[in-house]
Amino acid sequence: MNSDQVEGKWKQLKGEAKVQWGKLTDDDLDVVAGHKDKLAGKIQERYGKSKEEAEAEVDRFWAK
């Protein structure tokens, strides 16, 4: 899924992201707004994961 498709489906994906990463707030997800790199950064920040771990989780999430 490319970034344009992700941004277009973000409202749907936002709920799924909140379920998967419950520590992310609605404000966090609004700031992310479908950008993979920003989502990985927020996951890294909230969960204390490495950049590589966070990016891998986001890649798996978008591959669904």
Side-chain angles (χ1 to χ4, degrees), residues 8-64:
K9 293 184 175 189
W10 181 243
K11 288 184 181 183
Q12 295 169 344
L13 292 173
K14 185 177 169 182
E16 292 177 36
K18 182 126 184 168
V19 169
Q20 183 158 344
W21 298 290
K23 291 183 182 180
L24 297 180
T25 66
D26 286 331
D27 288 340
D28 289 337
L29 294 171
D30 287 341
V31 168
V32 167
H35 293 95
K36 289 173 67 173
D37 57 335
K38 290 182 183 179
L39 179 57
K42 286 293 181 185
I43 292 167
Q44 189 178 0
E45 179 183 315
R46 293 280 186 238
Y47 288 89
K49 296 182 180 265
S50 71
K51 181 179 179 180
E52 293 78 18
E53 287 175 313
E55 288 174 347
E57 282 188 25
V58 170
D59 287 342
R60 283 191 300 273
F61 176 75
W62 258 284
K64 289 181 184 180

Side-chain angles (χ1 to χ4, degrees), residues 1-7 36 62:
M1 183 178 301
N2 70 35
S3 62
D4 289 335
Q5 290 171 316
V6 169
E7 288 178 41
K36 289 173 67 173
W62 258 284

